[in-house]
PDB file of all heavy atoms in Angstrom:
ATOM      1  N   TRP B  39     143.249  65.933 138.687  1.00 98.00           N
ATOM      2  CA  TRP B  39     142.767  65.770 137.323  1.00 98.00           C
ATOM      3  C   TRP B  39     143.253  66.925 136.449  1.00 98.00           C
ATOM      4  O   TRP B  39     143.290  68.100 136.837  1.00 98.00           O
ATOM      5  CB  TRP B  39     141.237  65.725 137.278  1.00 98.00           C
ATOM      6  CG  TRP B  39     140.618  64.631 138.035  1.00 98.00           C
ATOM      7  CD1 TRP B  39     139.844  64.709 139.149  1.00 98.00           C
ATOM      8  CD2 TRP B  39     140.734  63.242 137.696  1.00 98.00           C
ATOM      9  NE1 TRP B  39     139.526  63.443 139.546  1.00 98.00           N
ATOM     10  CE2 TRP B  39     140.053  62.530 138.687  1.00 98.00           C
ATOM     11  CE3 TRP B  39     141.293  62.513 136.724  1.00 98.00           C
ATOM     12  CZ2 TRP B  39     139.888  61.147 138.695  1.00 98.00           C
ATOM     13  CZ3 TRP B  39     141.240  61.190 136.666  1.00 98.00           C
ATOM     14  CH2 TRP B  39     140.514  60.463 137.659  1.00 98.00           C
ATOM     15  N   GLU B  40     143.661  66.525 135.248  1.00 96.00           N
ATOM     16  CA  GLU B  40     144.152  67.503 134.249  1.00 96.00           C
ATOM     17  C   GLU B  40     143.659  67.170 132.876  1.00 96.00           C
ATOM     18  O   GLU B  40     143.699  65.945 132.478  1.00 96.00           O
ATOM     19  CB  GLU B  40     145.658  67.513 134.313  1.00 96.00           C
ATOM     20  CG  GLU B  40     146.309  68.429 133.274  1.00 96.00           C
ATOM     21  CD  GLU B  40     147.854  68.306 133.241  1.00 96.00           C
ATOM     22  OE1 GLU B  40     148.400  67.467 134.008  1.00 96.00           O
ATOM     23  OE2 GLU B  40     148.479  69.017 132.488  1.00 96.00           O
ATOM     24  N   ARG B  41     143.245  68.083 132.098  1.00 95.00           N
ATOM     25  CA  ARG B  41     142.815  67.904 130.698  1.00 95.00           C
ATOM     26  C   ARG B  41     143.987  68.309 129.836  1.00 95.00           C
ATOM     27  O   ARG B  41     144.191  69.503 129.632  1.00 95.00           O
ATOM     28  CB  ARG B  41     141.531  68.586 130.301  1.00 95.00           C
ATOM     29  CG  ARG B  41     140.990  68.206 128.952  1.00 95.00           C
ATOM     30  CD  ARG B  41     139.478  68.238 128.895  1.00 95.00           C
ATOM     31  NE  ARG B  41     138.892  67.239 129.700  1.00 95.00           N
ATOM     32  CZ  ARG B  41     137.709  66.642 129.348  1.00 95.00           C
ATOM     33  NH1 ARG B  41     137.080  66.919 128.278  1.00 95.00           N
ATOM     34  NH2 ARG B  41     137.222  65.787 130.219  1.00 95.00           N
ATOM     35  N   ARG B  42     144.705  67.339 129.309  1.00 90.00           N
ATOM     36  CA  ARG B  42     145.957  67.653 128.574  1.00 90.00           C
ATOM     37  C   ARG B  42     145.666  68.045 127.119  1.00 90.00           C
ATOM     38  O   ARG B  42     144.519  67.922 126.679  1.00 90.00           O
ATOM     39  CB  ARG B  42     146.856  66.405 128.572  1.00 90.00           C
ATOM     40  CG  ARG B  42     147.390  66.023 129.937  1.00 90.00           C
ATOM     41  CD  ARG B  42     148.038  64.679 129.873  1.00 90.00           C
ATOM     42  NE  ARG B  42     148.660  64.287 131.124  1.00 90.00           N
ATOM     43  CZ  ARG B  42     149.954  64.376 131.394  1.00 90.00           C
ATOM     44  NH1 ARG B  42     150.746  64.867 130.506  1.00 90.00           N
ATOM     45  NH2 ARG B  42     150.435  64.008 132.586  1.00 90.00           N
ATOM     46  N   ARG B  43     146.681  68.462 126.462  1.00 85.00           N
ATOM     47  CA  ARG B  43     146.564  68.836 125.039  1.00 85.00           C
ATOM     48  C   ARG B  43     147.177  67.725 124.149  1.00 85.00           C
ATOM     49  O   ARG B  43     148.269  67.207 124.550  1.00 85.00           O
ATOM     50  CB  ARG B  43     147.275  70.204 124.787  1.00 85.00           C
ATOM     51  CG  ARG B  43     146.644  71.389 125.462  1.00 85.00           C
ATOM     52  CD  ARG B  43     145.332  71.753 124.636  1.00 85.00           C
ATOM     53  NE  ARG B  43     144.568  72.805 125.309  1.00 85.00           N
ATOM     54  CZ  ARG B  43     143.432  73.286 124.798  1.00 85.00           C
ATOM     55  NH1 ARG B  43     142.989  72.895 123.605  1.00 85.00           N
ATOM     56  NH2 ARG B  43     142.692  74.176 125.497  1.00 85.00           N
ATOM     57  N   ALA B  44     146.534  67.423 123.093  1.00 76.00           N
ATOM     58  CA  ALA B  44     147.059  66.357 122.237  1.00 76.00           C
ATOM     59  C   ALA B  44     148.102  67.025 121.294  1.00 76.00           C
ATOM     60  O   ALA B  44     148.452  68.219 121.348  1.00 76.00           O
ATOM     61  CB  ALA B  44     145.945  65.790 121.398  1.00 76.00           C
ATOM     62  N   SER B  45     148.650  66.229 120.406  1.00 71.00           N
ATOM     63  CA  SER B  45     149.732  66.567 119.494  1.00 71.00           C
ATOM     64  C   SER B  45     149.391  67.862 118.681  1.00 71.00           C
ATOM     65  O   SER B  45     150.245  68.732 118.479  1.00 71.00           O
ATOM     66  CB  SER B  45     150.111  65.476 118.517  1.00 71.00           C
ATOM     67  OG  SER B  45     150.446  64.325 119.270  1.00 71.00           O
ATOM     68  N   PHE B  46     148.155  67.981 118.284  1.00 72.00           N
ATOM     69  CA  PHE B  46     147.784  69.118 117.372  1.00 72.00           C
ATOM     70  C   PHE B  46     147.082  70.265 118.168  1.00 72.00           C
ATOM     71  O   PHE B  46     146.453  71.101 117.535  1.00 72.00           O
ATOM     72  CB  PHE B  46     146.871  68.601 116.273  1.00 72.00           C
ATOM     73  CG  PHE B  46     147.563  67.585 115.424  1.00 72.00           C
ATOM     74  CD1 PHE B  46     147.243  66.182 115.502  1.00 72.00           C
ATOM     75  CD2 PHE B  46     148.495  67.955 114.488  1.00 72.00           C
ATOM     76  CE1 PHE B  46     147.839  65.246 114.696  1.00 72.00           C
ATOM     77  CE2 PHE B  46     149.134  67.036 113.649  1.00 72.00           C
ATOM     78  CZ  PHE B  46     148.807  65.652 113.793  1.00 72.00           C
ATOM     79  N   GLY B  47     147.247  70.263 119.471  1.00 72.00           N
ATOM     80  CA  GLY B  47     146.733  71.379 120.216  1.00 72.00           C
ATOM     81  C   GLY B  47     145.362  71.215 120.811  1.00 72.00           C
ATOM     82  O   GLY B  47     145.003  71.971 121.806  1.00 72.00           O
ATOM     83  N   HIS B  48     144.526  70.281 120.317  1.00 82.00           N
ATOM     84  CA  HIS B  48     143.212  70.198 120.861  1.00 82.00           C
ATOM     85  C   HIS B  48     143.217  69.400 122.162  1.00 82.00           C
ATOM     86  O   HIS B  48     144.120  68.674 122.436  1.00 82.00           O
ATOM     87  CB  HIS B  48     142.208  69.571 119.810  1.00 82.00           C
ATOM     88  CG  HIS B  48     142.661  68.177 119.453  1.00 82.00           C
ATOM     89  ND1 HIS B  48     143.503  67.914 118.388  1.00 82.00           N
ATOM     90  CD2 HIS B  48     142.324  66.996 119.931  1.00 82.00           C
ATOM     91  CE1 HIS B  48     143.675  66.671 118.247  1.00 82.00           C
ATOM     92  NE2 HIS B  48     143.005  66.045 119.158  1.00 82.00           N
ATOM     93  N   ALA B  49     142.177  69.563 122.985  1.00 90.00           N
ATOM     94  CA  ALA B  49     142.151  68.936 124.280  1.00 90.00           C
ATOM     95  C   ALA B  49     141.888  67.494 124.162  1.00 90.00           C
ATOM     96  O   ALA B  49     140.992  67.053 123.292  1.00 90.00           O
ATOM     97  CB  ALA B  49     141.108  69.592 125.134  1.00 90.00           C
ATOM     98  N   VAL B  50     142.558  66.647 124.954  1.00 92.00           N
ATOM     99  CA  VAL B  50     142.244  65.223 125.032  1.00 92.00           C
ATOM    100  C   VAL B  50     140.817  65.074 125.611  1.00 92.00           C
ATOM    101  O   VAL B  50     140.496  65.737 126.611  1.00 92.00           O
ATOM    102  CB  VAL B  50     143.299  64.533 125.910  1.00 92.00           C
ATOM    103  CG1 VAL B  50     142.941  63.070 126.165  1.00 92.00           C
ATOM    104  CG2 VAL B  50     144.709  64.618 125.251  1.00 92.00           C
TER     105      VAL B  50
END
Side-chain angles (χ1 to χ4, degrees):
W39 299 112
E40 177 185 2
R41 187 148 295 212
R42 295 169 176 261
R43 292 283 172 180
S45 302
F46 299 102
H48 60 273
V50 173

